[in-house]
Amino acid sequence: MNYSDIKEIFLNRDAYLGKKVTVGGWIRSKRDSKTIGFIVLNDGTYFQPLQIVYNDSLSNVGVF
């Protein structure tokens, strides 16, 4: 499985828009409510973490 670096995603945003990517790293925080949630993910390649938004459950986000 090929992982995309968070640094690469931030530096080339247009190349990743609308595409499915696989990222790896550690979860800095997770917030959720009844229908939507947020995961802040860091992989050490960039100073800014990636925020992942998901609906209803983590099952539609993928494997971490």
Side-chain angles (χ1 to χ4, degrees):
M1 182 179 306
N2 293 329
Y3 292 100
S4 299
D5 290 338
I6 291 175
K7 178 180 180 179
E8 189 65 29
I9 293 170
F10 275 103
L11 295 178
N12 297 308
R13 290 179 191 214
D14 292 337
Y16 288 94
L17 283 176
K19 295 188 179 171
K20 189 174 185 177
V21 297
T22 302
V23 292
W26 60 93
I27 296 173
R28 292 180 57 186
S29 66
K30 178 181 172 268
R31 298 172 295 151
D32 59 347
S33 65
K34 291 182 182 179
T35 59
I36 194 168
F38 303 92
I39 295 173
V40 177
L41 186 77
N42 196 335
D43 69 355
T45 62
Y46 202 58
F47 65 91
Q48 187 173 355
L50 186 67
Q51 180 172 278
I52 301 165
V53 181
Y54 62 92
N55 295 322
D56 297 326
S57 71
L58 288 175
S59 63
N60 61 359
V61 173
V63 179
F64 286 72

